[in-house]
Amino acid sequence: KHAIAELVSASIVDGDHIMLDDSSTSLYIAKHLKEKKDLTVITNSVEIIVELSDVEGWNIMSTGGRLKSDSLALVGSQCHQMIRNYHVDKVVMSCKGIDPAGGITDSSEYHASTKQAMMAAANQTILALDYSKFDKISFVKIAELSDLDCIVTNREPARQWLQLFDQLHLRCFYP
């Protein structure tokens, strides 16, 4: 996850307004972003809020919502309402599975609907996921692959994935 975090961090520039989902990958990314200046971070992750609480010069915003204690995520209609009030440069999110036919999927309707709201509020969607999520389908669909702008992963995807990304004009970064 450190390699993914480094690659995502390189795509975030000083002054960006970003949304980070409540994934463990986003927590690693938040730790790698601390050298950036003047970021605005909107997140539904209690852990990310705590992680970034000591960074000076940033605007850290919570989505609010109902606490999902197993993931320390804020979810639900209040969360979505807050997200809809903002427009950001980039959303960085993860998922439980990515599949050519099944798209991008997650294990929970709460997480999937929050990620959908974040995607709708962003100019650019970055999917950050470790290689084990490829060719997996989870419970709830978040989006189609064509809805993404960029994929960041920890190792080179198989040739058929790279060909699909080329067809979709989807940038893919890996170490």
Side-chain angles (χ1 to χ4, degrees), residues 62-67 74-76 78-79:
S62 165
T63 61
R66 194 175 92 236
L67 180 65
L74 300 166
V75 296
Q78 289 110 345
C79 172

Side-chain angles (χ1 to χ4, degrees), residues 25-115:
T25 303
S26 286
L27 181 59
Y28 276 90
I29 292 164
K31 292 176 183 184
H32 278 80
L33 290 174
K34 288 185 172 184
E35 73 279 356
K36 304 287 181 180
K37 297 191 182 331
D38 195 33
L39 292 185
T40 296
V41 178
I42 301 172
T43 186
N44 68 319
S45 168
V46 174
E47 287 180 295
I48 290 174
I49 292 167
V50 171
E51 178 64 36
L52 298 178
S53 64
D54 63 345
V55 181
E56 292 191 28
W58 286 21
N59 294 312
I60 310 299
M61 301 171 69
S62 165
T63 61
R66 194 175 92 236
L67 180 65
K68 198 166 184 297
S69 60
D70 62 330
S71 60
L72 292 177
L74 300 166
V75 296
S77 61
Q78 289 110 345
C79 172
H80 299 168
Q81 183 176 349
M82 190 280 196
I83 290 169
R84 281 192 297 269
N85 287 326
Y86 294 92
H87 187 81
V88 296
D89 300 302
K90 299 167 183 119
V91 60
V92 181
M93 62 182 214
S94 194
C95 66
K96 297 293 185 203
I98 181 172
D99 181 82
I104 303 144
T105 55
D106 215 333
S107 59
S108 156
E109 291 177 46
Y110 289 116
H111 295 298
S113 63
T114 300
K115 292 171 191 199

Side-chain angles (χ1 to χ4, degrees), residues 3-12 20 29 33 92 126-128 152:
I4 294 169
E6 286 178 18
L7 289 169
V8 171
S9 179
S11 72
I12 307 292
L20 295 174
I29 292 164
L33 290 174
V92 181
I126 300 169
L127 182 66
V152 180

Side-chain angles (χ1 to χ4, degrees), residues 142-175:
I142 300 168
E144 298 290 344
L145 291 169
S146 59
D147 297 323
L148 301 174
D149 296 291
C150 176
I151 291 181
V152 180
T153 188
N154 59 324
R155 75 177 226 215
E156 182 177 3
R159 179 179 301 178
Q160 66 268 24
W161 276 105
L162 293 174
Q163 290 171 341
L164 178 59
F165 296 157
D166 281 343
Q167 291 170 3
L168 296 171
H169 305 288
L170 181 57
R171 294 174 295 145
C172 180
F173 298 97
Y174 48 89

